[in-house]
mmCIF file of all heavy atoms in Angstrom:
data_model
loop_
_atom_site.group_PDB
_atom_site.id
_atom_site.type_symbol
_atom_site.label_atom_id
_atom_site.label_comp_id
_atom_site.label_asym_id
_atom_site.label_seq_id
_atom_site.Cartn_x
_atom_site.Cartn_y
_atom_site.Cartn_z
ATOM 1 N N ILE A 110 -14.638 180.636 0.230
ATOM 2 C CA ILE A 110 -14.629 181.679 -0.780
ATOM 3 C C ILE A 110 -14.339 183.015 -0.117
ATOM 4 O O ILE A 110 -14.789 183.293 1.001
ATOM 5 C CB ILE A 110 -15.979 181.723 -1.524
ATOM 6 C CG1 ILE A 110 -16.178 180.462 -2.347
ATOM 7 C CG2 ILE A 110 -16.059 182.951 -2.450
ATOM 8 C CD1 ILE A 110 -17.539 180.321 -2.966
ATOM 9 N N VAL A 111 -13.630 183.887 -0.777
ATOM 10 C CA VAL A 111 -13.331 185.235 -0.243
ATOM 11 C C VAL A 111 -14.378 186.222 -0.751
ATOM 12 O O VAL A 111 -14.673 186.259 -1.949
ATOM 13 C CB VAL A 111 -11.949 185.697 -0.647
ATOM 14 C CG1 VAL A 111 -11.673 187.114 -0.154
ATOM 15 C CG2 VAL A 111 -10.878 184.764 -0.074
ATOM 16 N N GLY A 112 -14.972 186.963 0.169
ATOM 17 C CA GLY A 112 -15.862 188.046 -0.234
ATOM 18 C C GLY A 112 -17.337 187.682 -0.263
ATOM 19 O O GLY A 112 -17.725 186.535 0.024
ATOM 20 N N ILE A 113 -18.163 188.652 -0.652
ATOM 21 C CA ILE A 113 -19.601 188.474 -0.654
ATOM 22 C C ILE A 113 -20.049 187.407 -1.703
ATOM 23 O O ILE A 113 -21.183 186.938 -1.644
ATOM 24 C CB ILE A 113 -20.309 189.801 -0.870
ATOM 25 C CG1 ILE A 113 -21.809 189.692 -0.427
ATOM 26 C CG2 ILE A 113 -20.214 190.243 -2.337
ATOM 27 C CD1 ILE A 113 -22.531 191.006 -0.431
ATOM 28 N N ALA A 114 -19.140 187.045 -2.587
ATOM 29 C CA ALA A 114 -19.438 185.990 -3.548
ATOM 30 C C ALA A 114 -19.769 184.678 -2.857
ATOM 31 O O ALA A 114 -20.397 183.776 -3.461
ATOM 32 C CB ALA A 114 -18.250 185.767 -4.492
ATOM 33 N N GLY A 115 -19.408 184.531 -1.585
ATOM 34 C CA GLY A 115 -19.678 183.331 -0.824
ATOM 35 C C GLY A 115 -21.069 183.265 -0.255
ATOM 36 O O GLY A 115 -21.488 182.198 0.242
ATOM 37 N N LEU A 116 -21.815 184.373 -0.292
ATOM 38 C CA LEU A 116 -23.143 184.412 0.364
ATOM 39 C C LEU A 116 -24.153 183.464 -0.265
ATOM 40 O O LEU A 116 -24.838 182.683 0.434
ATOM 41 C CB LEU A 116 -23.653 185.820 0.403
ATOM 42 C CG LEU A 116 -25.069 186.034 0.968
ATOM 43 C CD1 LEU A 116 -25.207 185.433 2.391
ATOM 44 C CD2 LEU A 116 -25.472 187.509 0.972
ATOM 45 N N LYS A 117 -24.309 183.520 -1.573
ATOM 46 C CA LYS A 117 -25.318 182.673 -2.217
ATOM 47 C C LYS A 117 -25.013 181.175 -2.047
ATOM 48 O O LYS A 117 -25.924 180.401 -1.735
ATOM 49 C CB LYS A 117 -25.454 183.035 -3.689
ATOM 50 C CG LYS A 117 -26.220 184.324 -3.945
ATOM 51 C CD LYS A 117 -26.449 184.569 -5.435
ATOM 52 C CE LYS A 117 -27.298 185.811 -5.650
ATOM 53 N NZ LYS A 117 -27.524 186.089 -7.118
ATOM 54 N N PRO A 118 -23.765 180.717 -2.227
ATOM 55 C CA PRO A 118 -23.464 179.302 -1.909
ATOM 56 C C PRO A 118 -23.733 178.927 -0.466
ATOM 57 O O PRO A 118 -24.160 177.802 -0.192
ATOM 58 C CB PRO A 118 -21.983 179.148 -2.280
ATOM 59 C CG PRO A 118 -21.744 180.241 -3.284
ATOM 60 C CD PRO A 118 -22.614 181.410 -2.858
ATOM 61 N N THR A 119 -23.476 179.827 0.454
ATOM 62 C CA THR A 119 -23.793 179.566 1.873
ATOM 63 C C THR A 119 -25.250 179.255 2.012
ATOM 64 O O THR A 119 -25.676 178.289 2.680
ATOM 65 C CB THR A 119 -23.377 180.763 2.734
ATOM 66 O OG1 THR A 119 -21.973 180.723 2.979
ATOM 67 C CG2 THR A 119 -24.110 180.740 4.084
ATOM 68 N N LEU A 120 -26.087 180.112 1.415
ATOM 69 C CA LEU A 120 -27.540 179.939 1.543
ATOM 70 C C LEU A 120 -27.998 178.653 0.843
ATOM 71 O O LEU A 120 -28.895 177.979 1.325
ATOM 72 C CB LEU A 120 -28.261 181.172 0.940
ATOM 73 C CG LEU A 120 -28.064 182.474 1.702
ATOM 74 C CD1 LEU A 120 -28.660 183.633 0.914
ATOM 75 C CD2 LEU A 120 -28.680 182.406 3.092
ATOM 76 N N SER A 121 -27.357 178.298 -0.269
ATOM 77 C CA SER A 121 -27.719 177.054 -0.969
ATOM 78 C C SER A 121 -27.414 175.849 -0.134
ATOM 79 O O SER A 121 -28.201 174.899 -0.062
ATOM 80 C CB SER A 121 -26.958 176.984 -2.283
ATOM 81 O OG SER A 121 -27.385 178.019 -3.196
ATOM 82 N N ALA A 122 -26.236 175.837 0.542
ATOM 83 C CA ALA A 122 -25.870 174.703 1.381
ATOM 84 C C ALA A 122 -26.847 174.562 2.528
ATOM 85 O O ALA A 122 -27.299 173.442 2.877
ATOM 86 C CB ALA A 122 -24.448 174.891 1.927
ATOM 87 N N LEU A 123 -27.208 175.676 3.178
ATOM 88 C CA LEU A 123 -28.122 175.628 4.306
ATOM 89 C C LEU A 123 -29.542 175.268 3.851
ATOM 90 O O LEU A 123 -30.241 174.509 4.550
ATOM 91 C CB LEU A 123 -28.135 176.982 5.025
ATOM 92 C CG LEU A 123 -26.823 177.383 5.684
ATOM 93 C CD1 LEU A 123 -26.917 178.780 6.223
ATOM 94 C CD2 LEU A 123 -26.443 176.398 6.812
ATOM 95 N N GLU A 124 -29.978 175.751 2.727
ATOM 96 C CA GLU A 124 -31.295 175.429 2.183
ATOM 97 C C GLU A 124 -31.407 173.931 1.951
ATOM 98 O O GLU A 124 -32.509 173.324 2.162
ATOM 99 C CB GLU A 124 -31.556 176.176 0.874
ATOM 100 C CG GLU A 124 -32.922 175.908 0.239
ATOM 101 C CD GLU A 124 -34.076 176.451 1.094
ATOM 102 O OE1 GLU A 124 -33.988 177.550 1.603
ATOM 103 O OE2 GLU A 124 -35.063 175.675 1.258
ATOM 104 N N ALA A 125 -30.299 173.274 1.583
ATOM 105 C CA ALA A 125 -30.298 171.817 1.392
ATOM 106 C C ALA A 125 -30.184 171.068 2.722
ATOM 107 O O ALA A 125 -30.222 169.820 2.699
ATOM 108 C CB ALA A 125 -29.122 171.457 0.472
ATOM 109 N N GLY A 126 -30.049 171.807 3.805
ATOM 110 C CA GLY A 126 -29.986 171.168 5.128
ATOM 111 C C GLY A 126 -28.610 170.662 5.485
ATOM 112 O O GLY A 126 -28.456 169.889 6.436
ATOM 113 N N HIS A 127 -27.559 171.097 4.756
ATOM 114 C CA HIS A 127 -26.198 170.619 5.025
ATOM 115 C C HIS A 127 -25.550 171.419 6.152
ATOM 116 O O HIS A 127 -25.751 172.623 6.273
ATOM 117 C CB HIS A 127 -25.350 170.766 3.764
ATOM 118 C CG HIS A 127 -25.787 169.907 2.618
ATOM 119 N ND1 HIS A 127 -26.276 168.658 2.742
ATOM 120 C CD2 HIS A 127 -25.805 170.194 1.279
ATOM 121 C CE1 HIS A 127 -26.580 168.172 1.574
ATOM 122 N NE2 HIS A 127 -26.307 169.083 0.633
ATOM 123 N N ASP A 128 -24.759 170.737 6.971
ATOM 124 C CA ASP A 128 -23.898 171.438 7.884
ATOM 125 C C ASP A 128 -22.888 172.238 7.116
ATOM 126 O O ASP A 128 -22.382 171.810 6.039
ATOM 127 C CB ASP A 128 -23.189 170.459 8.799
ATOM 128 C CG ASP A 128 -24.098 169.844 9.849
ATOM 129 O OD1 ASP A 128 -25.198 170.376 10.047
ATOM 130 O OD2 ASP A 128 -23.717 168.833 10.442
ATOM 131 N N LEU A 129 -22.575 173.444 7.633
ATOM 132 C CA LEU A 129 -21.715 174.385 6.933
ATOM 133 C C LEU A 129 -20.517 174.725 7.753
ATOM 134 O O LEU A 129 -20.667 175.331 8.835
ATOM 135 C CB LEU A 129 -22.517 175.628 6.565
ATOM 136 C CG LEU A 129 -21.764 176.741 5.842
ATOM 137 C CD1 LEU A 129 -21.417 176.343 4.426
ATOM 138 C CD2 LEU A 129 -22.599 178.031 5.829
ATOM 139 N N ALA A 130 -19.327 174.347 7.319
ATOM 140 C CA ALA A 130 -18.119 174.830 7.925
ATOM 141 C C ALA A 130 -17.762 176.166 7.272
ATOM 142 O O ALA A 130 -17.446 176.214 6.076
ATOM 143 C CB ALA A 130 -16.959 173.834 7.710
ATOM 144 N N LEU A 131 -17.884 177.227 8.018
ATOM 145 C CA LEU A 131 -17.847 178.566 7.418
ATOM 146 C C LEU A 131 -16.583 179.318 7.688
ATOM 147 O O LEU A 131 -16.258 179.657 8.817
ATOM 148 C CB LEU A 131 -19.078 179.371 7.961
ATOM 149 C CG LEU A 131 -19.341 180.730 7.283
ATOM 150 C CD1 LEU A 131 -19.600 180.507 5.784
ATOM 151 C CD2 LEU A 131 -20.511 181.422 7.932
ATOM 152 N N ALA A 132 -15.844 179.555 6.575
ATOM 153 C CA ALA A 132 -14.667 180.418 6.637
ATOM 154 C C ALA A 132 -14.902 181.709 5.876
ATOM 155 O O ALA A 132 -14.052 182.595 5.873
ATOM 156 C CB ALA A 132 -13.462 179.682 6.061
ATOM 157 N N ASN A 133 -16.031 181.808 5.230
ATOM 158 C CA ASN A 133 -16.392 182.989 4.438
ATOM 159 C C ASN A 133 -17.077 184.002 5.360
ATOM 160 O O ASN A 133 -18.241 183.896 5.693
ATOM 161 C CB ASN A 133 -17.317 182.651 3.285
ATOM 162 C CG ASN A 133 -17.875 183.829 2.549
ATOM 163 O OD1 ASN A 133 -19.032 184.175 2.683
ATOM 164 N ND2 ASN A 133 -17.039 184.494 1.767
ATOM 165 N N LYS A 134 -16.293 184.980 5.838
ATOM 166 C CA LYS A 134 -16.797 185.923 6.821
ATOM 167 C C LYS A 134 -18.009 186.708 6.294
ATOM 168 O O LYS A 134 -18.990 187.000 7.009
ATOM 169 C CB LYS A 134 -15.723 186.971 7.152
ATOM 170 C CG LYS A 134 -14.488 186.385 7.801
ATOM 171 C CD LYS A 134 -13.476 187.501 8.047
ATOM 172 C CE LYS A 134 -12.171 186.943 8.563
ATOM 173 N NZ LYS A 134 -12.280 186.262 9.819
ATOM 174 N N GLU A 135 -17.954 187.050 4.998
ATOM 175 C CA GLU A 135 -18.924 187.964 4.430
ATOM 176 C C GLU A 135 -20.320 187.401 4.418
ATOM 177 O O GLU A 135 -21.306 188.162 4.336
ATOM 178 C CB GLU A 135 -18.462 188.382 3.020
ATOM 179 C CG GLU A 135 -17.191 189.227 3.015
ATOM 180 C CD GLU A 135 -15.899 188.390 3.148
ATOM 181 O OE1 GLU A 135 -15.988 187.120 3.195
ATOM 182 O OE2 GLU A 135 -14.825 188.989 3.233
ATOM 183 N N SER A 136 -20.470 186.088 4.432
ATOM 184 C CA SER A 136 -21.822 185.494 4.500
ATOM 185 C C SER A 136 -22.587 186.021 5.690
ATOM 186 O O SER A 136 -23.768 186.386 5.586
ATOM 187 C CB SER A 136 -21.735 183.958 4.550
ATOM 188 O OG SER A 136 -21.320 183.419 3.314
ATOM 189 N N LEU A 137 -21.932 185.972 6.846
ATOM 190 C CA LEU A 137 -22.587 186.449 8.076
ATOM 191 C C LEU A 137 -22.541 187.976 8.207
ATOM 192 O O LEU A 137 -23.465 188.565 8.751
ATOM 193 C CB LEU A 137 -21.924 185.791 9.283
ATOM 194 C CG LEU A 137 -22.355 184.344 9.545
ATOM 195 C CD1 LEU A 137 -21.469 183.724 10.650
ATOM 196 C CD2 LEU A 137 -23.802 184.238 9.973
ATOM 197 N N VAL A 138 -21.485 188.577 7.722
ATOM 198 C CA VAL A 138 -21.370 190.034 7.840
ATOM 199 C C VAL A 138 -22.474 190.735 7.005
ATOM 200 O O VAL A 138 -23.204 191.592 7.504
ATOM 201 C CB VAL A 138 -19.996 190.512 7.391
ATOM 202 C CG1 VAL A 138 -19.946 192.034 7.309
ATOM 203 C CG2 VAL A 138 -18.925 190.022 8.368
ATOM 204 N N ALA A 139 -22.602 190.332 5.768
ATOM 205 C CA ALA A 139 -23.541 190.973 4.861
ATOM 206 C C ALA A 139 -24.952 190.442 4.996
ATOM 207 O O ALA A 139 -25.926 191.179 4.832
ATOM 208 C CB ALA A 139 -23.068 190.863 3.414
ATOM 209 N N GLY A 140 -25.109 189.151 5.279
ATOM 210 C CA GLY A 140 -26.435 188.538 5.284
ATOM 211 C C GLY A 140 -26.699 187.720 6.547
ATOM 212 O O GLY A 140 -27.365 186.683 6.465
ATOM 213 N N GLY A 141 -26.215 188.182 7.678
ATOM 214 C CA GLY A 141 -26.303 187.443 8.928
ATOM 215 C C GLY A 141 -27.716 186.990 9.277
ATOM 216 O O GLY A 141 -27.953 185.845 9.674
ATOM 217 N N LYS A 142 -28.658 187.892 9.139
ATOM 218 C CA LYS A 142 -30.053 187.558 9.473
ATOM 219 C C LYS A 142 -30.578 186.470 8.586
ATOM 220 O O LYS A 142 -31.196 185.490 9.042
ATOM 221 C CB LYS A 142 -30.927 188.799 9.349
ATOM 222 C CG LYS A 142 -32.413 188.576 9.557
ATOM 223 C CD LYS A 142 -33.132 189.933 9.543
ATOM 224 C CE LYS A 142 -34.648 189.733 9.591
ATOM 225 N NZ LYS A 142 -35.192 189.194 8.315
ATOM 226 N N LEU A 143 -30.294 186.559 7.295
ATOM 227 C CA LEU A 143 -30.802 185.564 6.315
ATOM 228 C C LEU A 143 -30.139 184.203 6.602
ATOM 229 O O LEU A 143 -30.786 183.166 6.550
ATOM 230 C CB LEU A 143 -30.490 186.040 4.899
ATOM 231 C CG LEU A 143 -30.980 187.380 4.464
ATOM 232 C CD1 LEU A 143 -30.563 187.699 3.034
ATOM 233 C CD2 LEU A 143 -32.513 187.456 4.585
ATOM 234 N N VAL A 144 -28.858 184.224 6.861
ATOM 235 C CA VAL A 144 -28.077 182.994 7.035
ATOM 236 C C VAL A 144 -28.534 182.261 8.332
ATOM 237 O O VAL A 144 -28.792 181.055 8.306
ATOM 238 C CB VAL A 144 -26.558 183.281 7.090
ATOM 239 C CG1 VAL A 144 -25.790 182.059 7.524
ATOM 240 C CG2 VAL A 144 -26.100 183.770 5.729
ATOM 241 N N THR A 145 -28.591 182.982 9.413
ATOM 242 C CA THR A 145 -28.937 182.324 10.695
ATOM 243 C C THR A 145 -30.368 181.849 10.741
ATOM 244 O O THR A 145 -30.674 180.788 11.287
ATOM 245 C CB THR A 145 -28.646 183.258 11.892
ATOM 246 O OG1 THR A 145 -29.297 184.509 11.681
ATOM 247 C CG2 THR A 145 -27.118 183.481 12.016
ATOM 248 N N GLU A 146 -31.276 182.605 10.168
ATOM 249 C CA GLU A 146 -32.687 182.188 10.104
ATOM 250 C C GLU A 146 -32.877 180.944 9.279
ATOM 251 O O GLU A 146 -33.639 180.032 9.635
ATOM 252 C CB GLU A 146 -33.573 183.342 9.626
ATOM 253 C CG GLU A 146 -33.756 184.453 10.633
ATOM 254 C CD GLU A 146 -34.664 185.538 10.125
ATOM 255 O OE1 GLU A 146 -35.049 185.482 8.891
ATOM 256 O OE2 GLU A 146 -35.001 186.464 10.894
ATOM 257 N N LEU A 147 -32.159 180.874 8.156
ATOM 258 C CA LEU A 147 -32.279 179.720 7.273
ATOM 259 C C LEU A 147 -31.652 178.481 7.947
ATOM 260 O O LEU A 147 -32.198 177.387 7.838
ATOM 261 C CB LEU A 147 -31.566 179.982 5.932
ATOM 262 C CG LEU A 147 -31.663 178.873 4.892
ATOM 263 C CD1 LEU A 147 -33.119 178.525 4.573
ATOM 264 C CD2 LEU A 147 -30.947 179.277 3.606
ATOM 265 N N ALA A 148 -30.529 178.661 8.634
ATOM 266 C CA ALA A 148 -29.898 177.538 9.330
ATOM 267 C C ALA A 148 -30.867 176.951 10.369
ATOM 268 O O ALA A 148 -30.964 175.733 10.515
ATOM 269 C CB ALA A 148 -28.598 177.956 9.980
ATOM 270 N N GLU A 149 -31.517 177.842 11.099
ATOM 271 C CA GLU A 149 -32.441 177.357 12.143
ATOM 272 C C GLU A 149 -33.648 176.661 11.484
ATOM 273 O O GLU A 149 -34.090 175.648 11.945
ATOM 274 C CB GLU A 149 -32.927 178.569 12.956
ATOM 275 C CG GLU A 149 -33.859 178.156 14.120
ATOM 276 C CD GLU A 149 -34.211 179.373 14.967
ATOM 277 O OE1 GLU A 149 -33.812 180.471 14.690
ATOM 278 O OE2 GLU A 149 -34.931 179.139 15.963
ATOM 279 N N LYS A 150 -34.126 177.233 10.410
ATOM 280 C CA LYS A 150 -35.286 176.662 9.716
ATOM 281 C C LYS A 150 -34.987 175.265 9.189
ATOM 282 O O LYS A 150 -35.808 174.350 9.248
ATOM 283 C CB LYS A 150 -35.717 177.587 8.562
ATOM 284 C CG LYS A 150 -36.899 177.090 7.747
ATOM 285 C CD LYS A 150 -37.221 178.062 6.651
ATOM 286 C CE LYS A 150 -38.348 177.573 5.744
ATOM 287 N NZ LYS A 150 -38.598 178.498 4.606
ATOM 288 N N ARG A 151 -33.795 175.055 8.634
ATOM 289 C CA ARG A 151 -33.412 173.794 8.009
ATOM 290 C C ARG A 151 -32.681 172.860 8.966
ATOM 291 O O ARG A 151 -32.230 171.781 8.562
ATOM 292 C CB ARG A 151 -32.533 174.051 6.783
ATOM 293 C CG ARG A 151 -33.237 174.786 5.654
ATOM 294 C CD ARG A 151 -34.445 174.050 5.148
ATOM 295 N NE ARG A 151 -35.087 174.721 4.057
ATOM 296 C CZ ARG A 151 -36.280 174.423 3.584
ATOM 297 N NH1 ARG A 151 -36.994 173.457 4.117
ATOM 298 N NH2 ARG A 151 -36.785 175.096 2.567
ATOM 299 N N HIS A 152 -32.558 173.284 10.265
ATOM 300 C CA HIS A 152 -31.845 172.471 11.259
ATOM 301 C C HIS A 152 -30.442 172.086 10.795
ATOM 302 O O HIS A 152 -29.977 170.968 10.966
ATOM 303 C CB HIS A 152 -32.656 171.173 11.550
ATOM 304 C CG HIS A 152 -34.078 171.451 11.964
ATOM 305 N ND1 HIS A 152 -34.402 172.053 13.177
ATOM 306 C CD2 HIS A 152 -35.234 171.269 11.328
ATOM 307 C CE1 HIS A 152 -35.704 172.160 13.290
ATOM 308 N NE2 HIS A 152 -36.258 171.739 12.161
ATOM 309 N N ALA A 153 -29.766 173.081 10.195
ATOM 310 C CA ALA A 153 -28.381 172.915 9.719
ATOM 311 C C ALA A 153 -27.454 173.640 10.682
ATOM 312 O O ALA A 153 -27.809 174.710 11.216
ATOM 313 C CB ALA A 153 -28.221 173.428 8.304
ATOM 314 N N ARG A 154 -26.296 173.080 10.911
ATOM 315 C CA ARG A 154 -25.332 173.689 11.848
ATOM 316 C C ARG A 154 -24.346 174.541 11.087
ATOM 317 O O ARG A 154 -23.849 174.154 9.998
ATOM 318 C CB ARG A 154 -24.592 172.587 12.636
ATOM 319 C CG ARG A 154 -25.454 171.754 13.516
ATOM 320 C CD ARG A 154 -24.679 170.720 14.283
ATOM 321 N NE ARG A 154 -24.015 169.744 13.391
ATOM 322 C CZ ARG A 154 -23.396 168.663 13.815
ATOM 323 N NH1 ARG A 154 -23.330 168.365 15.108
ATOM 324 N NH2 ARG A 154 -22.832 167.817 12.944
ATOM 325 N N ILE A 155 -24.050 175.701 11.646
ATOM 326 C CA ILE A 155 -22.951 176.547 11.166
ATOM 327 C C ILE A 155 -21.757 176.328 12.065
ATOM 328 O O ILE A 155 -21.789 176.642 13.274
ATOM 329 C CB ILE A 155 -23.326 178.019 11.124
ATOM 330 C CG1 ILE A 155 -24.557 178.230 10.221
ATOM 331 C CG2 ILE A 155 -22.160 178.876 10.633
ATOM 332 C CD1 ILE A 155 -25.096 179.654 10.240
ATOM 333 N N LEU A 156 -20.670 175.742 11.507
ATOM 334 C CA LEU A 156 -19.506 175.391 12.284
ATOM 335 C C LEU A 156 -18.377 176.370 11.908
ATOM 336 O O LEU A 156 -17.891 176.320 10.756
ATOM 337 C CB LEU A 156 -19.076 173.953 12.010
ATOM 338 C CG LEU A 156 -20.215 172.920 12.251
ATOM 339 C CD1 LEU A 156 -19.876 171.586 11.619
ATOM 340 C CD2 LEU A 156 -20.450 172.767 13.740
ATOM 341 N N PRO A 157 -17.998 177.268 12.795
ATOM 342 C CA PRO A 157 -17.054 178.309 12.430
ATOM 343 C C PRO A 157 -15.653 177.772 12.196
ATOM 344 O O PRO A 157 -15.158 176.914 12.930
ATOM 345 C CB PRO A 157 -17.082 179.272 13.641
ATOM 346 C CG PRO A 157 -17.567 178.444 14.774
ATOM 347 C CD PRO A 157 -18.483 177.417 14.187
ATOM 348 N N VAL A 158 -14.999 178.291 11.144
ATOM 349 C CA VAL A 158 -13.633 177.899 10.790
ATOM 350 C C VAL A 158 -12.622 178.961 11.190
ATOM 351 O O VAL A 158 -11.485 178.667 11.493
ATOM 352 C CB VAL A 158 -13.549 177.584 9.299
ATOM 353 C CG1 VAL A 158 -12.089 177.344 8.871
ATOM 354 C CG2 VAL A 158 -14.388 176.343 8.962
ATOM 355 N N ASP A 159 -13.028 180.255 11.236
ATOM 356 C CA ASP A 159 -12.120 181.274 11.716
ATOM 357 C C ASP A 159 -11.554 180.842 13.076
ATOM 358 O O ASP A 159 -12.271 180.291 13.940
ATOM 359 C CB ASP A 159 -12.868 182.590 11.912
ATOM 360 C CG ASP A 159 -12.935 183.450 10.706
ATOM 361 O OD1 ASP A 159 -12.237 183.111 9.723
ATOM 362 O OD2 ASP A 159 -13.688 184.469 10.691
ATOM 363 N N SER A 160 -10.260 181.098 13.312
ATOM 364 C CA SER A 160 -9.639 180.624 14.520
ATOM 365 C C SER A 160 -10.316 181.220 15.771
ATOM 366 O O SER A 160 -10.499 180.545 16.775
ATOM 367 C CB SER A 160 -8.157 180.955 14.530
ATOM 368 O OG SER A 160 -7.920 182.352 14.428
ATOM 369 N N GLU A 161 -10.728 182.488 15.667
ATOM 370 C CA GLU A 161 -11.322 183.141 16.804
ATOM 371 C C GLU A 161 -12.720 182.591 17.088
ATOM 372 O O GLU A 161 -13.061 182.304 18.270
ATOM 373 C CB GLU A 161 -11.420 184.675 16.586
ATOM 374 C CG GLU A 161 -10.086 185.362 16.450
ATOM 375 C CD GLU A 161 -9.486 185.263 15.071
ATOM 376 O OE1 GLU A 161 -10.099 184.646 14.194
ATOM 377 O OE2 GLU A 161 -8.389 185.823 14.878
ATOM 378 N N HIS A 162 -13.521 182.425 16.081
ATOM 379 C CA HIS A 162 -14.900 181.937 16.310
ATOM 380 C C HIS A 162 -14.891 180.450 16.648
ATOM 381 O O HIS A 162 -15.752 179.980 17.407
ATOM 382 C CB HIS A 162 -15.758 182.227 15.083
ATOM 383 C CG HIS A 162 -15.892 183.716 14.824
ATOM 384 N ND1 HIS A 162 -15.088 184.329 13.889
ATOM 385 C CD2 HIS A 162 -16.651 184.657 15.412
ATOM 386 C CE1 HIS A 162 -15.393 185.638 13.896
ATOM 387 N NE2 HIS A 162 -16.301 185.848 14.802
#
Side-chain angles (χ1 to χ4, degrees):
I110 294 172
V111 176
I113 199 172
L116 176 55
K117 284 186 177 180
T119 280
L120 294 172
S121 294
L123 295 174
E124 181 65 45
H127 297 321
D128 286 345
L129 178 70
L131 189 58
N133 173 254
K134 298 178 187 299
E135 293 80 5
S136 289
L137 283 170
V138 171
K142 175 175 174 288
L143 304 179
V144 170
T145 54
E146 287 182 353
L147 183 58
E149 184 176 2
K150 179 181 177 182
R151 296 300 183 193
H152 305 290
R154 296 180 298 188
I155 301 175
L156 304 165
V158 172
D159 273 350
S160 61
E161 296 83 359
H162 298 98

